[in-house]
């Protein structure tokens, strides 16, 4: 088997459903398997997987929430593919992304991990798609608001090139490279494990690359609500990374620990639930002239959206009749517009208006 796509899920049923639909399209002509490892979700994830994707997806139901690192490692152990892609459930991939990753990887004998350009639910580029190694000095500057040396700006947003650190929402590699690097360090429960694995690959003589011309939607806000628990895990992971790779004096360690505690206290905000919004200017973009949905909206063809002027518009994209690539192209070439993604079954849509806000789900 050529490729195994590993999706670790926790309570993201609706987002996971669209993610799998997009992966099935993108692997249509590839000898591939999809493995969903569920970290003991309490929502309808397992039921959805059984009824919607039975026999199309291999499901591993964990008996507890093992966290990101261990959850993925357990799934990789059962993967049969020569290549792996670690993929978040709150992503939607374009039809060509795996083909392009396979082609690029096969031409790079020293390749460690490969990443792509991640965009949020509005089409905005997510700069964490490519980062420098966060040395203590770089991390301190980042904490203080100076991220100039944190992101890997030497490679352009839409370019291809060698980088240091990739993001765990999409990490592509040879399975033997993943195993040689020891997989994700299971001391990280969530956050920081992608930095650690990227850096481990470099230390072992591999090279990490970024494909800026390949775009993947990442509804980042769905899994990054910045409450106290998130911040403790996020900054705690940074502390673990420094302890593992950078020798520090007692004074330096105490200073970093104090700064981490300060950042948690300063940035903690209560976790809030999202509200499903009603839109005044909602446009259904579809090629299905018979599609009738139980919500008020105007209808427009994909070929027409490029020629019209829309103000304060929200586009509801019919993922059954449009390609993800078509949708992403429009999202990344327009501004100040909102986007929602209709499931192929046409029974719900998802979306997110910010990389810092919770994703939205509306059932119909």
């Amino acid at each position: 088997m050529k490729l195994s796509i590993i999706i670790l899920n926790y309570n993201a049923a609706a987002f996971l459903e669209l993610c799998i639909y997009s992966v099935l399209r993108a692997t249509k002509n590839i000898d591939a398997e999809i493995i969903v490892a569920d970290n003991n979700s309490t929502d309808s994830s397992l039921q959805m997987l059984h009824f919607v994707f039975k026999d199309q997806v291999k499901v591993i139901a964990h008996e507890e929430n093992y966290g990101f690192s261990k959850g993925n490692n357990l799934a990789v152990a059962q993967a049969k593919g020569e290549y792996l892609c670690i993929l978040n459930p709150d992503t939607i991939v374009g039809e060509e992304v795996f083909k392009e990753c396979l082609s690029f990887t096969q031409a790079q004998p020293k390749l460690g991990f490969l990443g792509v350009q991640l965009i949020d639910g509005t089409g905005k580029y997510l700069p964490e798609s490519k980062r420098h190694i966060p040395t203590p000095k770089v991390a301190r500057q980042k904490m203080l608001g100076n991220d100039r040396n944190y992101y890997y700006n030497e490679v352009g947003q839409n370019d291809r090139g060698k980088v240091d650190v990739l993001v765990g929402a999409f990490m592509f590699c040879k399975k033997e490279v993943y195993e040689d690097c020891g997989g994700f360090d299971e001391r990280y429960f969530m956050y920081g494990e992608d930095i650690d694995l990227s850096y481990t690959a470099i230390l072992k003589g591999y090279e990490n690359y970024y494909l800026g011309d390949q775009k993947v939607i990442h509804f980042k806000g769905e899994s990054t609500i910045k409450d106290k628990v998130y911040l403790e895990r996020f900054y705690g992971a940074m502390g673990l990374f420094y302890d593992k790779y950078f020798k520090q004096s007692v004074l330096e360690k105490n200073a970093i620990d104090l700064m981490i505690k300060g950042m948690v206290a300063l940035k903690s905000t209560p976790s809030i639930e999202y509200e499903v919004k009603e839109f005044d200017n909602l446009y259904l973009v579809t090629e299905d002239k018979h599609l009738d949905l139980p919500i008020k909206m105007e209808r427009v063809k994909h070929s027409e959206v490029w020629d019209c002027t829309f103000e304060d518009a929200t586009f509801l994209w019919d993922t059954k009749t449009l390609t993800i690539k078509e949708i992403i192209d429009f999202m990344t070439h327009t501004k100040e517009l909102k986007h929602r993604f209709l499931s192929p079954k046409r029974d719900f849509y998802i979306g997110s208006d910010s990389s810092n806000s919770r994703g939205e789900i509306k059932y119909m």
Side-chain angles (χ1 to χ4, degrees):
M1 181 170 289
K2 181 64 71 174
L3 174 63
S4 297
I5 295 97
I6 310 295
I7 306 173
L8 182 69
N9 177 68
Y10 179 69
N11 289 341
F15 287 83
L16 174 64
E17 185 172 336
L18 255 74
C19 174
I20 294 174
Y21 274 123
S22 71
V23 171
L24 286 170
R25 284 190 190 179
T27 55
K28 186 176 180 180
N29 298 313
I30 299 173
D31 181 20
E33 65 177 351
I34 303 172
I35 300 176
V36 176
D38 186 80
N39 257 346
N40 199 26
S41 292
T42 56
D43 67 356
S44 61
S45 292
L46 290 176
Q47 294 92 326
M48 180 275 294
L49 288 167
H50 175 76
F51 289 107
V52 180
F53 298 109
K54 188 176 182 179
D55 300 326
Q56 293 179 289
V57 174
K58 180 177 181 178
V59 179
I60 303 172
H62 295 154
E63 295 181 352
E64 61 182 278
N65 185 353
Y66 288 121
F68 188 87
S69 295
K70 185 174 181 179
N72 272 300
N73 287 344
L74 289 171
V76 168
Q78 297 192 36
K80 299 177 182 178
E82 178 185 357
Y83 295 87
L84 301 172
C85 182
I86 305 297
L87 186 68
N88 266 28
D90 55 351
T91 59
I92 300 179
V93 304
E95 287 78 8
E96 302 296 319
V97 64
F98 296 127
K99 185 180 75 172
E100 289 294 324
C101 286
L102 283 169
S103 176
F104 186 86
T105 303
Q106 291 166 357
Q108 298 290 337
K110 295 177 63 178
L111 188 133
F113 293 90
L114 182 63
V116 296
Q117 180 181 161
L118 298 176
I119 60 173
D120 68 13
T122 69
K124 182 180 179 182
Y125 164 62
L126 295 172
E128 61 267 26
S129 300
K130 49 183 176 65
R131 293 165 284 177
H132 282 285
I133 298 165
T135 63
K137 180 179 179 181
V138 170
R140 284 195 297 269
Q141 293 175 339
K142 168 70 172 171
M143 288 183 184
L144 295 173
N146 178 11
D147 58 18
R148 182 180 60 184
N149 296 317
Y150 184 77
Y151 300 117
Y152 208 102
N153 297 318
E154 294 89 332
V155 175
Q157 173 185 333
N158 298 305
D159 297 332
R160 295 185 172 194
K162 190 189 304 183
V163 299
D164 290 338
V165 174
L166 302 165
V167 63
F170 186 106
M171 293 183 78
F172 193 99
C173 66
K174 275 193 170 184
K175 186 180 181 184
E176 64 182 28
V177 170
Y178 188 94
E179 293 171 337
D180 185 39
C181 293
F184 289 115
D185 187 332
E186 295 180 9
R187 288 177 294 176
Y188 297 89
F189 182 83
M190 191 173 185
Y191 309 115
E193 63 285 303
D194 48 1
I195 297 174
D196 185 290
L197 190 55
S198 297
Y199 189 41
T200 299
I202 292 174
L203 293 178
K204 283 184 166 290
Y206 296 111
E207 298 174 342
N208 300 323
Y209 282 86
Y210 164 82
L211 300 186
D213 57 319
Q214 298 301 307
K215 301 180 180 67
V216 167
I217 301 169
H218 182 205
F219 299 104
K220 182 183 171 187
E222 179 64 13
S223 57
T224 55
I225 301 171
K226 296 187 176 179
D227 58 9
K228 187 175 181 180
V229 174
Y230 157 80
L231 290 166
E232 287 176 343
R233 286 176 176 169
F234 180 80
Y235 289 110
M238 294 176 67
L240 174 59
F241 181 74
Y242 303 146
D243 288 343
K244 182 176 178 179
Y245 291 110
F246 297 95
K247 291 183 179 180
Q248 305 168 79
S249 67
V250 175
L251 182 62
E252 287 174 326
K253 180 171 175 53
N254 289 340
I256 288 176
D257 289 344
L258 184 62
M259 179 172 285
I260 289 173
K261 291 178 181 178
M263 296 302 291
V264 171
L266 178 65
K267 294 192 174 185
S268 291
T269 56
S271 176
I272 57 174
E273 292 296 318
Y274 58 81
E275 295 182 1
V276 177
K277 297 177 283 297
E278 299 295 334
F279 301 104
D280 294 327
N281 301 314
L282 183 61
Y283 296 87
L284 172 62
V285 188
T286 181
E287 300 301 312
D288 184 353
K289 62 182 180 180
H290 300 295
L291 178 57
D292 185 24
L293 299 176
I295 49 178
K296 182 181 178 181
M297 68 186 73
E298 294 188 39
R299 183 187 297 266
V300 60
K301 292 182 179 180
H302 173 258
S303 58
E304 298 170 343
V305 297
W306 293 94
D307 300 324
C308 298
T309 301
F310 300 93
E311 294 183 4
D312 193 30
T314 300
F315 291 97
L316 178 58
W317 298 96
D318 179 15
T319 61
K320 187 173 183 177
T321 63
L322 301 171
T323 69
I324 302 303
K325 186 180 185 304
E326 289 174 328
I327 298 170
I328 289 176
D329 284 346
F330 184 81
M331 290 174 65
T332 54
H333 286 88
T334 55
K335 297 180 180 179
E336 308 304 326
L337 298 174
K338 297 181 175 66
H339 306 274
R340 296 295 182 269
F341 301 83
L342 183 64
S343 74
K345 294 192 302 177
R346 278 76 176 268
D347 55 347
F348 71 89
Y349 65 69
I350 62 173
S352 177
D353 297 334
S354 167
S355 60
N356 295 313
S357 65
R358 187 83 181 268
E360 176 184 315
I361 307 163
K362 183 176 178 64
Y363 292 93
M364 291 179 286

